[in-house]
Amino acid sequence: MNLTDKVILVTGGTSGIGEACARHFASLGAKVVAASNQQDRGEALEAELRAAGQEVRFVHADVSDEAQVKAMVDFALSTYGRLDGVHCNAGVWGKGTVAEFDEAIWSKIMNVNVKSVFWTAKHAIPALEATGKGVFLITTSVAAFIGFPAHALYCASKGALESLIRCLAADHAGKVRVVGICPGTIDTPMLAETCEGWDKPVEELYAEVAKKIPVRRLGQPEDIAKTAAFLLSDDAEYINATSIVLDGGTMALPPW
Ligand SMILES: NC(=O)c1ccc[n+]([C@@H]2O[C@H](COP(=O)([O-])OP(=O)(O)OC[C@H]3O[C@@H](n4cnc5c(N)ncnc54)[C@H](O)[C@@H]3O)[C@@H](O)[C@H]2O)c1
């Protein structure tokens, strides 16, 4: 499996899962545009990978803003002349029950996790269709299927993405494959953020969680990157309108 000369845009491509994806796609020969709102990390990633001979460019974008999403897609097209794959991966997390939500937290989570994907699809899918076999990949979450306490907004945002995968696949059938990766508990800065405020060190919390995962460890960003690369490759040309769960067995088995 390789991604030689495929042009792939990955959002949230400068941290955690997205960064691992950008690195892995580039190592498999892709021309990668890593987009995020992390200017310093993006510049450092671009400099490091280009110095290693890989074809990677960073573009700053707030993906919740349609004008910036359009500029992000235009940057990829003007830099590399085509788009073979788009990986919508940027996301934010938030905790609370509905009684605690307000317009600001609703807008933040829904705009970054859901609205951004609509705008990216709107502006990128014509270019993907032009290739005849483009791939639109979305990072969802097991949160789409599990009722995590005090996570209604995050879970609903990820549930929306699972629906969007099927609808986009229907609307662009024959021209673009639309697929998802659905991670479980992955060791990233976002996961560390979810541990803030607990009465135990992160390492202890992670060890407890790992014991409950059937493969007995947290997922690493590279676990996700390998499957994302496969889904974006021609080897996955019969996978469409669905997402692949990458959770070490968490959802399928009882937690005891
Ligand atoms: N870590 C997990 O356990 C886990 C599990 C399931 C799903 N996910 C999903 O995986 C994706 C990546 O998460 P991660 O764990 O790597 O987190 P992370 O915090 O390490 O990375 C998130 C990325 O999204 C970017 N981002 C956030 N808001 C943005 C905005 N407005 N515009 C542009 N970029 C923005 C950040 O800059 C960062 O690069 C998210 O969609 C997340 O919901 C993570």
Side-chain angles (χ1 to χ4, degrees):
M1 190 258 293
N2 73 68
L3 297 175
T4 303
D5 290 336
K6 284 195 184 290
V7 179
I8 297 173
L9 167 67
V10 52
T11 71
T14 54
S15 176
I17 291 169
E19 178 181 345
C21 287
R23 288 178 181 278
H24 191 52
F25 301 163
S27 77
L28 293 172
K31 297 172 179 169
V32 176
V33 176
S36 82
N37 56 358
Q38 295 172 304
Q39 184 75 32
D40 292 350
R41 288 180 67 105
E43 286 175 4
L45 184 71
E46 176 183 297
E48 179 199 327
L49 295 182
R50 290 187 75 81
Q54 293 176 343
E55 196 51 64
V56 176
R57 298 293 302 271
F58 167 70
V59 61
H60 185 281
D62 176 346
V63 292
S64 62
D65 179 87
E66 184 177 1
Q68 294 188 46
V69 168
K70 182 175 184 312
M72 169 184 85
V73 171
D74 288 348
F75 174 84
L77 289 171
S78 63
T79 304
Y80 292 122
R82 58 186 283 133
L83 253 185
D84 299 283
V86 172
H87 182 180
C88 286
N89 167 80
V92 288
W93 166 86
K95 198 174 175 188
T97 59
V98 284
E100 295 161 312
F101 296 146
D102 58 20
E103 190 66 32
I105 184 74
W106 164 272
S107 298
K108 183 182 174 197
I109 292 182
M110 286 300 186
N111 289 353
V112 177
N113 291 6
V114 183
K115 193 169 80 171
S116 71
V117 184
F118 275 81
W119 297 151
T120 307
K122 173 179 170 183
H123 293 290
I125 281 183
L128 294 174
E129 286 184 338
T131 71
K133 54 177 184 178
V135 185
F136 194 81
L137 170 64
I138 303 174
T139 302
T140 70
S141 171
V142 294
F145 303 104
I146 297 174
F148 286 111
H151 278 78
L153 201 41
Y154 181 75
C155 291
S157 75
K158 293 298 183 177
L161 297 181
E162 287 288 337
S163 297
L164 188 59
I165 287 167
R166 294 186 283 271
C167 294
L168 289 175
D171 288 344
H172 303 281
K175 296 176 183 161
V176 178
R177 283 192 296 116
V178 184
V179 286
I181 43 174
C182 179
T185 309
I186 313 300
D187 184 3
T188 69
M190 181 187 285
L191 185 69
E193 203 184 308
T194 68
C195 296
E196 283 168 14
W198 288 69
D199 55 356
K200 291 177 188 169
V202 165
E203 300 70 34
E204 213 175 304
L205 286 167
Y206 282 8
E208 285 175 14
V209 171
K211 276 188 209 155
K212 294 181 181 161
I213 298 172
V215 298
R216 302 286 185 258
R217 67 169 175 85
L218 300 190
Q220 292 301 317
E222 293 72 22
D223 293 317
I224 308 302
K226 286 180 217 165
T227 298
F230 171 64
L231 289 172
L232 288 161
S233 78
D234 295 341
D235 288 347
E237 65 183 11
Y238 211 63
I239 302 178
N240 189 28
T242 192
S243 61
I244 306 290
V245 176
L246 290 162
D247 69 347
T250 303
M251 266 207 305
L253 300 180
W256 57 80

